[in-house]
Amino acid sequence: VVYLVVFHLSFVMFVWSYWKTIFTSPASPSNEFCLSKADKEQYEKEERPESQQEILRRAAKDLPIYTTTASRAIRYCDRCQLIKPDRCHHCSACDICVLKMDHHCPWVNNCVGFSNYKFFLLFLMYSLLYCLFVAATVLQYFIKFWTNELPDTHAKFHVLFLFFVAAMFFISILSLFSYHCWLVGKNRSTIETFRAPTFRNGPDKNGFSLGCSKNLREVFGDEKKYWLLPIFTSLGDGCNFPTRLVIMDPEQLTVSSQSEPAKSSGGSQSFPTRPLSESQNRLLASDSQWVESGPEEENVKSGSLHCNTSVDS
């Protein structure tokens, strides 16, 4: 009875997580990041990059963005015609800009990003447990096969095949799952591992790291009872991420004394006009060294990162 319960439970969670990873649509930037019709027409008429950047700076002055490109330019997606939020990238396979894009996964035929990253992690975890469970239950028959104690039937080849397949998948998934657990602990995406996000004070691979515990909560949420269930509990809206300015000149930093009003994103999402301050984000509540940039520093935009051929600059 216990065997059947464990088997069915692991299988159900595996299928549920896999389903959610595949059929959860990648989250895209809200209309707040799109240029107005007038700005868009003016941007398309301009031929000089300097003039285009000035239009983008003016349009993005109130957007919650901290990072820049390597050349200190504002990131703009010509295909989606919007200013890219921090950690957002255009996927050439899906042909959309994906919030907190990690990678485009051919095994699930979907982009892994803010909307389904938790589901992807759970899918790897339950796949790992399922393979381990299968290998462990077949192990005794596999041993009998090698000691010639198994009856000479065609079933012994099925045992051999099943054990090796389960073991190989277990080893492969273990390496991938371990890598993504490391990414969660560091609060990085696969793209950011290849090229660190560039803040106004230079590239910083740990720019979005809040500490291991808070990084984990950012992906899985505050309620631990929901961590192992493939339901969306990630914190934030995918457009705005708290960041720790660990190497900024103290004279350039100002501490926010009041919360900024939230701006509507045109749908169910909302986010403040500036990156979240300590008073606005419970992830920052216990750290007095967290800071919010001053008004003159908030106009800097996200850097262009590359992960693989599915990511456009």
Side-chain angles (χ1 to χ4, degrees):
V1 176
V2 176
Y3 173 86
L4 291 177
V5 170
V6 174
F7 175 81
H8 286 95
L9 181 60
S10 60
F11 181 75
V12 167
M13 297 304 292
F14 163 73
V15 173
W16 188 7
S17 302
Y18 188 48
W19 178 276
K20 293 286 287 186
T21 304
I22 294 176
F23 292 103
T24 300
S25 300
S28 298
S30 62
N31 294 333
E32 196 74 18
F33 291 87
C34 297
L35 294 180
S36 64
K37 184 177 180 181
D39 287 337
K40 189 183 301 183
E41 292 177 352
Q42 186 177 0
Y43 178 87
E44 293 174 350
K45 291 179 181 179
E46 292 290 348
E47 297 181 357
R48 296 186 305 161
E50 296 81 5
S51 300
Q52 291 180 332
Q53 280 296 305
E54 184 60 34
I55 296 173
L56 295 180
R57 289 192 189 96
R58 184 174 63 252
K61 64 180 180 179
D62 292 325
L63 296 178
I65 302 176
Y66 259 176
T67 54
T68 70
T69 66
S71 60
R72 303 292 179 175
I74 297 174
R75 281 201 311 164
Y76 179 74
C77 180
D78 290 311
R79 292 188 63 85
C80 298
Q81 296 185 326
L82 54 80
I83 296 171
K84 295 180 182 179
D86 290 345
R87 316 183 82 176
C88 174
H89 304 277
H90 185 89
C91 176
S92 59
C94 298
D95 198 27
I96 58 173
C97 283
V98 179
L99 296 179
K100 196 186 177 183
M101 179 177 174
D102 187 87
H103 68 286
H104 183 88
C105 182
W107 297 104
V108 299
N109 192 31
N110 197 8
C111 266
V112 177
F114 175 76
S115 61
N116 62 351
Y117 189 58
K118 176 190 174 183
F119 307 147
F120 177 74
L121 291 174
L122 292 179
F123 160 64
L124 293 180
M125 185 186 73
Y126 287 119
S127 299
L128 190 67
L129 294 177
Y130 190 64
C131 290
L132 178 62
F133 180 78
V134 172
T137 53
V138 179
L139 180 60
Q140 57 177 323
Y141 302 102
F142 180 76
I143 295 176
K144 290 181 179 180
F145 172 81
W146 283 108
T147 57
N148 293 321
E149 297 179 8
L150 197 68
D152 189 16
T153 62
H154 294 293
K156 65 180 183 180
F157 296 104
H158 298 165
V159 170
L160 182 66
F161 174 79
L162 183 59
F163 178 80
F164 272 111
V165 168
M168 287 188 296
F169 270 97
F170 174 81
I171 295 174
S172 301
I173 296 174
L174 178 61
S175 60
L176 183 60
F177 180 67
S178 300
Y179 173 68
H180 279 280
C181 286
W182 179 80
L183 289 179
V184 170
K186 297 293 184 180
N187 203 342
R188 300 177 196 168
S189 66
T190 300
I191 299 176
E192 292 165 353
T193 303
F194 287 93
R195 179 175 296 180
T198 303
F199 294 82
R200 56 179 170 271
N201 52 331
D204 186 356
K205 61 183 180 181
N206 295 317
F208 292 107
S209 181
L210 315 177
C212 186
S213 176
K214 293 179 180 179
N215 294 341
L216 189 65
R217 287 167 53 197
E218 187 172 304
V219 175
F220 289 93
D222 289 324
E223 299 289 338
K224 293 184 179 180
K225 61 183 178 181
Y226 298 124
W227 281 12
L228 299 181
L229 296 178
I231 57 178
F232 185 81
T233 56
S234 300
L235 300 181
D237 58 9
C239 298
N240 183 18
F241 297 92
T243 177
R244 191 173 216 161
L245 304 181
V246 294
I247 54 176
M248 283 296 295
D249 180 12
E251 294 181 359
Q252 294 179 325
L253 303 179
T254 58
V255 179
S256 176
S257 60
Q258 57 183 0
S259 300
E260 295 294 329
K263 296 182 68 176
S264 173
S265 62
S268 59
Q269 296 179 336
S270 63
F271 49 86
T273 57
R274 300 179 184 177
L276 296 180
S277 66
E278 180 176 332
S279 61
Q280 294 169 308
N281 194 314
R282 56 186 175 275
L283 285 174
L284 313 183
S286 60
D287 289 345
S288 60
Q289 65 268 37
W290 283 79
V291 295
E292 181 183 12
S293 64
E296 295 180 0
E297 300 292 342
E298 289 160 1
N299 300 336
V300 188
K301 306 303 172 251
S302 288
S304 178
L305 309 179
H306 305 270
C307 176
N308 51 40
T309 55
S310 295
V311 181
D312 294 342
S313 59

